[in-house]
Structures are given as structure tokens and as C-alpha cells.
């Protein structure tokens, strides 16, 4: 058991903090966003993440989990400080480390003895060393002898997926710990004792290797998605069905069936920025990561392709002018309200720029979508109910495969649409079923 500060209470920090408390640790989640901390203190959860509210509540009740904006107090009480702040892309594609640096320096200004500072944010190789330098720099300014207690930096990248984050954190495929000495490693074993006892694979490396594992994993998954998207595009040209192709490929144990679902391109808060950052790391190191560079541009093309698919399906050039499209699903995937880099943003902007009006629907992401699409707000109406969005629209676009969109009443859908055209960008439906109801059906790669 350890006493822990988690700096940054977003998707990763809040889930990590709550789950680490569930493992028996004492956890203080700190954020500089006061309204977020107020919401949490009042028993609210600022993000949509299934199952998170239960874990948060039971650990508040047990006294193991608390929330604060006071980093200094939290750090003084803790042995281990997790950095879980954002690392968004800078203009040149590299990961912007300003939030990580701010936390590292703030921690150093508050330490009162030996601490382990754990980088959980996704950061480029070499960041662990930078964190150590930032901390040493602040300690040297203090002149109070505290530098003598020392500190260790650890890299512990996070692999949770939004939408199943609690389950992923509680039952990870592996825990990666990059550390330089046994003292830090043994404290990390205390932090993850519950998982360690459950025989979760525990991979110990140096800091640089741990940092690389995270980027290499995310970039590989982005490549896999992009690969099947390109195969899907080819399938459309040659009369093959990508779903059968993917199913058969996935049965090969060397390939595996996960991440072989074609669609409108990957999005979210991780793959786009992590592939960009990885490509940048390669360029800086003089190693051209050509597969990752190609993946980034292919993914951009995939989103554009969806816009053309819809335009062509409705009659070709100029056909979107004056048309109203019902868009079901906005988030980059189901079970999250996260709209960062969601393909829906680019696709909706493209459709609107070609003259379409949008009637959009999403169970959780409307609030996040509406401010991101503020500049074209006049062209978009939002609905909580999918059938309200469909009423009077010309055609249906299924953008995100939330469960409630997987089993639509197709007769009702047809009666609400002006023309029965269905663009299924997630291949949820069977062509025969949809065409049997009188729709013109477009999917991806079949
Ligand atoms: P987020 O934007 O949801 O949360 C970051 C939080 O940090 C915000 O609440 C912000 O207010 C807070 N913050 C910023 N500066 C701070 C400071 N100085 N002191 C205290 N709090 C501060 O980000 P996220 O999605 O949780 O991602 C965090 C990191 O984890 C990123 O590096 C990301 O790449 C990585 N990651 C994310 C996921 C995911 O699915 N979201 C998965 C694995 C890894």
C-alpha cells in the first residue's frame, strides 16, 4: 500500500486514481481545474466512462480517495506522485510537454522527502530524463537541503481504452514499469500489489524502453486499423467483402481479429496525436518511420473518402446542396463522450461545406461536439432521440456504433426519411436486411 498523488484528473488520471484506491492505496487526485474538483467533491463524475462512478463512490466512502486543487499539500502527504496530465500535439506534431513540466516543477517545489515521480502521460522517449532535470532544477533553487533526500522518476505508461477504462485498468494485459533502481521498482510493486498478486504480466525495463513501448503499441494499432481500411477500399473496387476478408485474416493467430474493423478512420485523444509524435521522434532521430507516416496520411484520406462516399451515394458532385443528413453517433467510438479528433468532426465539416444540413444524435457526446462544431452551428441540429434526428432527413449516416444504433427499427427509419439511403460507416448492418426493407445501402469495403 502506498500514499499517492495523481496530478491530472482527466480520463486517465481519474480512472487511475480511483482504481489505485480500489487496490488499497490512499489516493489524492489533484487537478488545477477547480470546477472539475468541485464536481468530484460533490459526488459528480465530469466525464462519461461506464462503471467509473461506482469505483469513485466506494473509494470515497472507504476514505481512500479524495480530491483537491492543492498540489503542495497532496505531494507532502504522498510517497508516489503520478503525472497524468495531457500531452497534446504541438504545431510541429511533437508532444507538447508544457503540462508535464509544470507538474514536475510544482511537485519539486513541494517535496518534503524522498518521492517517486511516475510518468503516466504518454510522452516521447527521453521525457523521463527531462522530468528528472526539471525536478533537480527546482530543488537546486530551494537551498533547504531537501535535494539530499533524492527522488526517482519512473515511466508507467497507461494502456486503458476509453469506454472500458475501469475494466482495462483493473485487468490490464500487462503493467510496464520503466525504472532505474530497485528502490523505485519496489515502491511501484507496492502500488500495484493487487495486480502483482494476481500474476498480471509485469514488465520491467529502463525508462526509455517503457516510453517507447507505449508509442510503438499505439502506432501499431493505428497501422492495423489503417491497413484494413485500405483493404476495404480495395474490396469495394474488386467486388470482395472486407468483413469476410477480416474474419478469415483474424483467425490466423499471427494476425488476430482485433482492430480489423474498417470504418471512417481512427480518431480519439491518442492514436492521431501519438502517431504524429512518433513520426516526429523518428524524423528527429534521423529514422524515417515510413509506415507510420503513410498511416497518418491514409487516415486523413479515409475521412475525406467518407465525405465523397456520401456525396456520390446521393447523386455525385453538388448533390449535398440542400440535403439534410441524419448522423447517428458523434464520439470517436461508443461508450465515451470524448470528441477529440473524432472522424465525425472532419466528416460533418466536409458535408456542411458542400451544402448539407445535419441532424445529429449521440447518447453522450453532444455537449463536447457542439462547442467543437461551433463555427458551423447554424447547419447542425442536435437530438437526444435517434428517430427525432431521422424525421425529415434525406438520408441516414451511421457514424458511431453505439448499441442503440445497432438494432434500429428499419421500417420506422424508412418512414421517417425522405429518401431511403443508408450510409453504414461501421458495417453494423447486413446488406440483405437493409436492402430487403427497400433502402439503398452503402457500407465500407463491401
Ligand atoms: P485529459 O485532458 O482528459 O486530462 C488531463 C487533466 O490534467 C485535465 O483535467 C487538466 O485540467 C489536468 N491538468 C493540466 N495541467 C495540470 C496541472 N498543472 N496540475 C494539475 N492538473 C493539471 O487527458 P487524458 O485523456 O486523461 O490523457 C492524459 C495522458 O494520458 C495523455 O498523455 C494521454 O496521451 C495519455 N493516455 C490517454 C488515454 C485515453 O484514452 N484518454 C489512454 C492512455 C494514455
Amino acid at each position: 500500500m502506498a500514499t499517492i498523488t495523481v496530478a491530472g484528473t482527466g480520463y486517465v488520471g481519474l480512472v487511475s486514481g480511483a482504481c489505485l484506491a480500489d487496490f488499497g492505496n490512499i489516493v489524492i487526485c489533484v487537478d488545477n481545474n477547480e470546477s472539475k474538483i468541485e464536481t468530484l467533491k460533490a459526488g459528480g463524475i465530469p466525464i462519461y466512462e461506464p462503471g467509473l462512478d461506482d469505483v469513485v463512490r466506494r473509494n470515497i466512502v472507504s476514505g481512500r480517495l479524495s480530491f483537491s486543487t492543492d498540489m503542495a499539500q497532496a505531494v507532502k502527504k504522498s510517497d508516489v506522485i503520478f503525472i497524468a496530465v495531457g500531452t497534446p500535439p504541438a504545431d510541429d506534431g511533437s508532444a507538447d510537454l508544457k503540462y508535464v513540466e509544470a507538474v514536475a516543477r510544482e511537485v519539486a517545489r513541494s517535496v518534503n522527502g524522498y518521492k517517486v515521480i511516475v510518468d503516466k502521460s504518454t510522452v516521447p522517449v527521453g521525457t523521463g530524463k527531462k522530468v528528472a532535470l526539471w525536478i533537480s532544477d527546482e530543488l537546486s533553487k530551494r537551498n533547504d537541503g531537501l535535494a539530499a533526500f533524492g527522488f526517482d522518476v519512473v515511466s508507467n505508461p497507461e494502456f486503458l481504452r476509453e469506454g472500458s477504462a475501469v475494466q482495462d485498468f483493473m485487468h490490464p494485459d500487462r503493467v510496464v514499469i520503466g525504472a532505474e533502481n530497485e528502490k523505485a521498482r519496489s515502491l511501484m510493486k507496492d502500488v500495484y500489489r493487487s495486480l502483482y498478486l494476481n500474476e498480471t504480466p509485469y514488465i520491467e525495463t529502463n525508462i526509455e524502453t517503457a516510453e517507447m513501448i507505449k508509442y510503438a503499441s499505439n502506432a501499431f494499432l493505428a497501422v492495423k486499423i489503417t491497413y484494413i481500411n485500405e483493404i476495404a477500399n480495395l474490396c469495394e473496387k474488386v467486388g470482395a467483402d472486407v468483413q469476410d476478408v477480416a474474419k478469415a485474416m483474424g483467425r490466423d493467430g499471427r494476425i488476430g481479429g482485433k482492430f480489423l474493423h474498417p470504418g471512417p478512420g481512427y480518431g480519439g485523444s491518442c492514436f492521431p496525436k501519438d502517431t504524429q509524435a512518433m513520426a516526429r521522434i523518428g524524423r528527429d532521430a534521423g529514422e524515417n518511420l515510413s509506415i507510420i507516416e503513410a498511416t497518418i496520411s491514409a487516415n486523413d484520406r479515409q475521412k475525406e473518402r467518407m465525405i465523397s462516399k456520401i456525396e456520390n451515394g446521393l447523386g455525385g458532385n453538388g448533390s449535398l446542396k440542400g440535403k439534410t443528413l441524419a448522423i447517428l453517433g458523434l464520439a470517436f467510438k461508443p461508450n465515451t463522450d470524448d470528441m477529440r479528433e473524432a472522424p465525425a468532426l472532419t466528416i460533418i465539416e466536409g458535408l456542411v461545406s458542400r451544402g448539407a444540413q445535419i441532424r445529429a444524435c449521440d447518447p453522450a457526446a453532444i455537449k463536447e461536439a457542439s462547442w467543437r462544431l461551433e463555427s458551423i452551428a447554424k447547419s447542425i441540429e442536435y437530438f437526444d432521440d435517434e428517430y427525432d434526428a431521422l424525421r425529415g432527413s434525406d438520408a441516414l449516416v451511421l457514424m458511431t456504433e453505439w448499441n442503440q444504433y445497432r438494432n434500429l427499427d428499419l421500417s420506422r427509419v424508412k418512414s421517417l426519411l425522405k429518401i431511403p439511403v443508408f450510409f453504414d460507416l461501421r458495417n453494423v448492418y447486413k446488406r440483405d436486411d437493409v436492402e430487403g426493407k427497400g433502402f439503398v445501402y452503402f457500407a465500407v469495403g463491401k
Side-chain angles (χ1 to χ4, degrees):
M1 195 267 272
T3 305
I4 298 171
T5 289
V6 179
T9 311
Y11 289 88
V12 166
L14 182 55
V15 172
S16 304
C19 293
L20 288 171
D22 218 52
F23 294 166
N25 298 292
I26 305 292
V27 180
I28 310 166
C29 281
V30 178
D31 207 288
N32 59 1
N33 180 329
E34 285 179 15
S35 79
K36 222 175 225 192
I37 294 298
E38 266 165 37
T39 303
L40 286 160
K41 280 183 170 170
I45 304 288
I47 54 170
Y48 179 91
E49 185 56 53
L52 181 57
D53 49 352
D54 283 348
V55 190
V56 168
R57 252 168 240 139
R58 73 169 172 261
N59 285 285
I60 293 175
V61 169
S62 74
R64 288 193 297 266
L65 180 64
S66 60
F67 301 99
S68 173
T69 51
D70 189 341
M71 181 84 81
Q73 281 307 314
V75 167
K76 286 190 173 71
K77 290 181 195 158
S78 303
D79 319 306
V80 181
I81 295 102
F82 278 79
I83 303 179
V85 293
T87 46
D91 290 342
D92 63 359
S94 65
D96 188 342
L97 296 177
K98 65 173 180 268
Y99 303 112
V100 174
E101 178 172 359
V103 170
R105 289 188 181 276
E106 205 177 346
V107 167
R109 288 195 291 271
S110 315
V111 294
N112 54 350
Y114 172 79
K115 310 277 172 188
V116 170
I117 293 97
V118 184
D119 194 354
K120 195 160 246 330
S121 298
T122 303
V123 291
V125 180
T127 304
K129 290 232 159 66
K130 284 187 182 164
V131 168
L133 283 174
W134 292 325
I135 293 172
S136 299
D137 182 44
E138 288 299 323
L139 285 174
S140 70
K141 291 180 198 161
R142 286 180 55 165
N143 269 335
D144 54 6
L146 269 162
F149 285 100
F151 64 91
D152 280 304
V153 174
V154 165
S155 168
N156 169 219
E158 182 50 53
F159 300 94
L160 63 78
R161 295 162 299 172
E162 287 171 14
S164 53
V166 171
Q167 170 73 11
D168 289 350
F169 197 95
M170 299 277 199
H171 305 280
D173 291 336
R174 74 299 207 190
V175 174
V176 174
I177 302 292
E180 300 299 338
N181 62 48
E182 201 41 50
K183 190 175 177 185
R185 262 183 229 117
S186 121
L187 204 53
M188 291 307 288
K189 272 184 197 149
D190 280 349
V191 167
Y192 283 109
R193 183 151 308 279
S194 312
L195 295 180
Y196 197 63
L197 296 175
N198 278 346
E199 298 190 2
T200 300
Y202 206 79
I203 298 169
E204 294 185 340
T205 67
N206 65 13
I207 294 175
E208 288 74 15
T209 306
E211 291 169 340
M212 181 60 92
I213 288 169
K214 174 64 189 175
Y215 273 118
S217 304
N218 269 9
F220 184 81
L221 294 172
V223 169
K224 199 171 175 190
I225 294 171
T226 306
Y227 181 80
I228 201 65
N229 281 342
E230 291 211 322
I231 297 295
N233 300 342
L234 180 59
C235 283
E236 287 179 9
K237 295 262 166 71
V238 299
D241 181 327
V242 74
Q243 267 178 312
D244 291 338
V245 173
K247 203 189 296 167
M249 282 173 67
R251 299 300 293 217
D252 186 327
R254 293 167 302 175
I255 297 174
K258 290 186 178 159
F259 281 75
L260 283 183
H261 305 288
Y266 61 75
S269 66
C270 292
F271 292 169
K273 85 171 168 60
D274 293 349
T275 44
Q276 293 276 1
M278 184 76 168
R280 178 79 210 185
I281 295 167
R283 270 177 256 138
D284 288 348
E287 278 302 327
N288 180 24
L289 300 176
S290 57
I291 294 175
I292 295 172
E293 301 271 9
T295 294
I296 294 167
S297 20
N299 194 59
D300 289 342
R301 284 197 302 276
Q302 189 70 7
K303 292 183 258 182
E304 292 300 325
R305 202 182 168 95
M306 296 301 115
I307 301 167
S308 304
K309 182 188 278 291
I310 296 166
E311 186 167 50
N312 293 337
L314 290 173
N317 242 351
S319 65
L320 286 168
K321 228 182 183 82
K323 291 272 181 358
T324 300
L325 299 169
I327 305 245
L328 302 194
L330 294 164
F332 78 101
K333 65 173 179 177
N335 297 321
T336 182
D337 58 351
D338 200 343
M339 282 299 298
R340 288 177 283 188
E341 300 282 338
L345 296 171
T346 312
I347 295 172
I348 289 175
E349 277 162 357
L351 295 170
V352 167
S353 75
R354 288 166 173 76
Q357 291 285 319
I358 306 295
R359 290 166 74 85
C361 181
D362 189 285
I366 289 177
K367 191 168 152 226
E368 280 297 308
S370 55
W371 71 261
R372 289 170 196 271
L373 292 166
E374 184 62 37
S375 63
I376 50 168
K378 277 197 201 125
S379 304
I380 311 177
E381 269 187 278
Y382 297 96
F383 299 87
D384 290 327
D385 183 274
E386 53 271 27
Y387 295 101
D388 288 339
L390 285 156
R391 187 166 293 113
S393 291
D394 288 289
L396 158 62
V397 180
L398 177 49
M399 185 78 72
T400 313
E401 68 279 32
W402 284 87
N403 271 344
Q404 58 257 60
Y405 307 150
R406 285 176 172 274
N407 195 16
L408 294 167
D409 175 345
L410 291 176
S411 303
R412 191 170 167 205
V413 172
K414 188 163 175 250
S415 73
L416 293 169
L417 288 177
K418 283 193 206 150
I419 39 175
V421 184
F422 186 163
F423 298 95
D424 179 359
L425 305 189
R426 299 288 179 172
N427 289 351
V428 167
Y429 286 82
K430 290 202 171 73
R431 179 180 292 284
D432 289 350
D433 294 350
V434 183
E435 289 183 345
K437 293 276 181 195
F439 285 86
V440 179
Y441 179 70
F442 297 92
V444 181
K446 50 180 194 165

